[in-house]
Amino acid sequence: SIATTVVDASVEECTAYAVVDLDSRETIKKRGASNRIVKQINDHSLYYITRRELGFFLNPREGRQKVTWKKEENRVVINFSDTQDVMVEYPVKEGSVLASAHSVWIFEPQEPIGEIPQTALTFTTRVDAGGNIPTAT
């Protein structure tokens, strides 16, 4: 899927909020993760390990992402990609299914409205929840 919106903030403010928000307890609750680990790699990347309870009779899903953010000319790109880098240190718990996801967030400056900076955010993602998920018949 893909979505675009405009935010009343600078590219730098949007990027900082998005990266810091990954480690927010409040955000994790809103996103439905029952467990998450954020492990800093360097100033521009981190590992994002999550576990989500799907409810009903579905097995929990876990994710292992490497998140990297980079300034490209006048925009910032945040890339969330599957990684095997942390599988030894953080193995998938018994009974869980390893999901797969790839997301890209692109922050691009727009013309300000008066003194208010504007940033276009384009978000694209692909998710494979893995395992067996029943469909309606």
Side-chain angles (χ1 to χ4, degrees):
S1 6
I2 189 167
T4 300
T5 191
V6 176
V7 180
D8 291 341
S10 70
V11 168
E12 294 77 15
E13 289 170 315
C14 290
T15 304
Y17 180 81
V19 172
V20 169
D21 197 46
L22 291 173
D23 203 17
S24 161
R25 288 184 192 145
E26 183 178 316
T27 298
I28 293 302
K29 279 185 183 179
K30 281 193 260 181
R31 291 184 184 156
S34 58
N35 187 29
R36 63 91 177 86
I37 298 167
V38 177
K39 182 178 180 183
Q40 198 76 29
I41 301 170
N42 58 42
D43 288 342
H44 289 276
S45 52
L46 57 84
Y47 293 117
Y48 191 60
I49 299 114
T50 59
R51 184 169 198 263
R52 298 174 192 283
E53 302 289 339
L54 300 182
F56 302 103
F57 51 87
L58 299 172
N59 291 10
R61 297 307 194 262
E62 295 192 24
R64 304 289 183 276
Q65 257 74 52
K66 183 176 186 178
V67 182
T68 305
W69 52 99
K70 176 180 172 182
K71 187 158 189 161
E72 297 178 349
E73 295 183 26
N74 67 341
R75 69 183 193 165
V76 173
V77 177
I78 302 177
N79 183 46
F80 293 74
S81 297
D82 288 335
T83 186
Q84 296 292 315
D85 295 355
V86 293
M87 292 302 287
V88 171
E89 189 175 357
Y90 301 102
V92 176
K93 292 182 180 174
E94 188 174 333
S96 292
V97 174
L98 183 62
S100 174
H102 182 226
S103 297
V104 177
W105 301 3
I106 301 172
F107 300 93
E108 297 178 286
Q110 304 295 298
E111 288 297 317
I113 298 175
E115 294 182 19
I116 302 171
Q118 301 291 298
T119 297
L121 165 59
T122 301
F123 173 85
T124 182
T125 192
R126 176 210 41 84
V127 175
D128 178 353
N132 295 317
I133 297 180
T135 59
T137 55

